[in-house]
């Protein structure tokens, strides 16, 4: 229905809008996630797409797989206020890499690399403390014996006596501190970001 120029529409059907007007206020986003993988057999990685960091309440939109030359492709209808998406790459070799990727011209595109040169694996750099914290207080959990242990959730893990095993710093899961007050033989290389550290306390 046509209404006068100065008349206020009372109902939706009274609105005078262009014939090509659309009521859809969502944005359509193409997602293209590729893997830069040098291995010949091209193992698949898991890709997860979130609205934001899941630790901050981000919503999981979808998951899928990708391999070198076989990217993950998807299309999402998203709220118009979103300007970026949180993409998590889980490598078949055990590493987890999160990345906030911007939405540019309706496309979210990123290539994750599994080249070891992209990550810094090295012999752990120990921080020695001559007069500092011990393991009598400030420890959230204690390690001893052996096995596979994880450092995560920003906690402090302490070794009081002897430990011989593997330790993984879950940097993507808050990381934390490994405090050594006894003797520790760590049988794997460490990838430690700024949120994690190894402290050799007094007597360790």
């Amino acid at each position: 229905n046509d209404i006068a120029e100065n008349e206020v529409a009372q109902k939706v059907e009274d609105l005078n809008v262009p014939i090509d007007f659309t009521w859809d206020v969502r944005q359509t986003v193409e997602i293209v996630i590729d893997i830069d993988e040098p291995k010949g057999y091209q193992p698949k990685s898991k890709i997860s797409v979130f609205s934001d960091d899941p630790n901050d309440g981000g919503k999981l939109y979808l998951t899928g797989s990708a391999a070198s030359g076989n990217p993950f492709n998807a299309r999402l209808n998203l709220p118009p206020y979103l300007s970026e998406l949180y993409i998590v790459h889980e490598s078949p070799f055990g590493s987890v890499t999160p990345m906030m990727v911007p939405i540019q011209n309706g496309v979210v595109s990123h290539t994750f690399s599994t080249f070891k040169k992209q990550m810094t694996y090295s012999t752990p750099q120990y921080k020695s403390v001559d007069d500092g914290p011990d393991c009598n207080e400030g420890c959230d959990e204690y390690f001893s014996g052996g096995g596979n242990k994880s450092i995560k959730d920003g906690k402090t893990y302490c070794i009081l006596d002897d430990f011989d095993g593997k330790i993984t710093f879950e940097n993507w899961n808050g990381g934390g501190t490994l405090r050594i007050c006894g003797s520790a033989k760590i049988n794997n290389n460490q990838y430690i970001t700024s949120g994690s550290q190894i402290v050799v306390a007094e007597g360790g």
Side-chain angles (χ1 to χ4, degrees), residues 117-203:
K117 66 180 182 181
Q118 299 292 330
M119 304 180 71
T120 304
Y121 288 92
S122 62
T123 302
Q125 299 298 310
Y126 296 100
K127 177 181 178 182
S128 181
V129 179
D130 294 327
D131 184 14
D134 54 28
C135 292
N136 294 323
E137 59 182 23
C139 300
D140 296 303
E141 295 187 27
Y142 291 90
F143 289 164
S144 63
N148 297 323
K149 304 296 184 180
S150 295
I151 308 297
K152 59 185 179 179
D153 298 328
K155 294 181 178 180
T156 297
Y157 298 80
C158 296
I159 296 176
L160 275 174
D161 42 32
D162 295 329
F163 177 83
D164 185 348
K166 294 182 178 181
I167 290 179
T168 300
F169 280 83
E170 295 188 4
N171 302 300
W172 62 92
N173 200 17
T177 297
L178 175 64
R179 187 184 298 171
I180 302 173
C181 296
S183 174
K185 181 182 178 182
I186 302 174
N187 299 318
N188 59 316
N189 291 331
Q190 303 300 310
Y191 172 51
I192 303 176
T193 65
S194 58
S196 302
Q197 63 176 339
I198 297 175
V199 175
V200 180
E202 185 176 4

Side-chain angles (χ1 to χ4, degrees), residues 5-68:
E5 183 177 350
N6 296 324
E7 186 179 347
V8 178
Q10 300 298 321
K11 296 182 294 184
V12 171
E13 54 264 31
D14 292 333
L15 291 173
N16 190 4
V17 297
I19 192 171
D20 59 348
F21 180 80
T22 175
W23 295 99
D24 189 2
V25 295
R26 300 176 71 82
Q27 60 174 325
T28 299
V29 177
E30 297 284 346
I31 299 172
V32 182
I33 305 298
D34 205 353
I35 308 296
D36 188 5
E37 169 57 61
K39 294 185 180 296
Y41 57 90
Q42 300 178 350
K44 289 185 177 181
S45 296
K46 180 181 178 181
I47 304 297
S48 301
V49 181
F50 297 85
S51 60
D52 200 350
D53 186 339
N55 294 319
D56 297 330
K59 175 183 177 182
L60 174 64
Y61 285 129
L62 51 85
T63 61
S65 63
S68 180

